[in-house]
Amino acid sequence: MASMLRPLEPVPTGYPVRLQSLSVRALVFDLYGTLFVSAAGDVGVDAATDNVLSLMRAGRDAGIPSLDGAAVAGEGISLLHQRIEQIHLRCKEAGISYPEVDIVAVWFWVLERLGISGVREEQVRLLALSYECRINPIWPMPGLSTVLGELRDRSVVLGILSNAQFYTLELFEYLLHAPPERCGFSPDLCLWSFCEGEAKPSAHLFTRLSARLGQAGIAPTEVLYIGNDMLKDIWPARQVGWRTGLFAGDRRSLRLREDDPRVRGVQPDIVLSELAQILTCI
């Protein structure tokens, strides 16, 4: 992964910071654009401008030489979006408002349509990982490890609710040199969209995690959710009664959604420009 990733710094937004003291027992985070700087501001192929060269290089990384050509790579990108749209449509017809795909299955479908056979699953996973790293590189937000260490010392319950794919967990471990549970996150309190078959802002994800927190004796008002997107993060978190914090630390990922009626009048409890500011609020 070292050849695919490089340090990234957040781009200041100038958005007004608003801090206050909050009495909470649990902190739940979004990941892309919040815990990690994201060049595209989100996860997945819909979050960035696709690049034919990126897919060609990802094919080389995965040992799939048939992708090493502009024409076939360009067709592969088109098929990728086509398949995702097909799955989204089918899921929405089945009543899932915000569906999530299994990106490995999607890539297998793309390769089959391109006439590329005999590819092992480990190659497809490497293809997906390399392609994502190239179109949407990520890097830990400044001070992340220090903040997580301080929160662990304070015995704050930690969780993650994020749109993600399998490679999100691999990138997390690579960049922080430890899996989420060794960084203080409770496995039972980490919800990843690709595991759930639904993506934010699905209310089901937030309701599901809120129920798990409740089983641990933590009331909704004792939960603070931090995310960079007013629609995908702040709006649904407020629906389940959580306190909310808007992370406005990177211009690339800050999503105010001012034209969306669902967030009209919605205000987070706090607004952060740096992760370390969390420590002054809880």
Side-chain angles (χ1 to χ4, degrees), residues 13-272:
T13 65
Y15 196 76
V17 171
R18 188 171 73 251
L19 306 178
Q20 65 167 311
S21 179
L22 299 173
S23 178
V24 297
R25 297 172 56 199
L27 262 175
V28 181
F29 291 93
D30 168 54
L31 193 144
Y32 288 88
T34 302
L35 293 182
F36 287 86
V37 180
S38 167
D42 208 338
V43 63
V45 296
D46 290 330
T49 300
D50 292 298
N51 186 293
V52 169
L53 184 59
S54 294
L55 183 52
M56 292 170 61
R57 289 177 173 169
R60 294 172 200 165
D61 291 338
I64 307 175
S66 301
L67 287 172
D68 198 1
V72 68
E75 184 180 357
I77 291 171
S78 296
L79 287 168
L80 181 69
H81 285 283
Q82 176 186 325
R83 185 55 174 169
I84 290 172
E85 290 173 5
Q86 289 174 350
I87 294 172
H88 282 181
L89 179 60
R90 186 174 68 233
C91 290
K92 288 179 179 179
E93 290 174 345
I96 301 174
S97 298
Y98 305 101
E100 182 63 277
V101 302
D102 175 351
I103 200 64
V104 175
V106 170
W107 275 116
F108 263 119
W109 184 92
V110 169
L111 294 174
E112 180 183 342
R113 290 303 184 278
L114 290 174
I116 301 173
S117 59
V119 181
R120 302 185 306 277
E121 181 173 346
E122 63 191 65
Q123 290 178 281
V124 177
R125 291 172 68 89
L126 183 52
L127 175 71
L129 169 64
S130 176
Y131 185 64
E132 174 71 10
C133 286
R134 295 182 186 284
I135 67 169
N136 181 25
I138 63 173
W139 199 258
M141 281 287 177
L144 174 57
S145 294
T146 300
V147 169
L148 292 179
E150 177 65 25
L151 292 172
R152 290 197 303 273
D153 290 344
R154 297 187 188 186
S155 299
V156 178
V157 175
L158 299 179
I160 297 174
L161 198 167
S162 184
N163 289 347
Q165 288 291 337
F166 79 91
Y167 45 67
T168 304
L169 298 177
E170 296 186 6
L171 290 168
F172 188 107
E173 184 167 354
Y174 176 79
L175 291 170
L176 292 185
H177 312 293
E181 56 268 25
R182 282 179 47 201
C183 293
F185 294 98
S186 170
D188 291 340
L189 301 179
C190 291
L191 259 65
W192 311 99
S193 62
F194 78 101
C195 294
E196 305 296 324
E198 290 186 84
K200 296 185 303 183
S202 171
H204 296 133
L205 300 178
F206 289 81
T207 301
R208 201 167 298 151
L209 186 51
S210 194
R212 294 183 188 179
L213 287 158
Q215 290 171 357
I218 300 174
T221 55
E222 297 176 306
V223 181
L224 173 62
Y225 183 73
I226 307 290
N228 59 282
D229 192 312
M230 285 296 297
L231 175 63
K232 293 183 179 181
D233 297 319
I234 306 305
W235 177 65
R238 284 177 60 89
Q239 303 304 305
V240 294
W242 293 353
R243 312 301 295 271
T244 58
L246 177 66
F247 183 75
D250 190 350
R251 189 190 311 157
R252 287 166 295 202
S253 55
L254 179 59
R255 304 284 190 266
L256 297 177
R257 313 285 187 178
E258 293 173 318
D259 295 331
D260 194 304
R262 287 170 289 185
V263 302
R264 190 170 299 142
V266 174
Q267 291 292 329
D269 292 285
I270 57 175
V271 179
L272 312 166

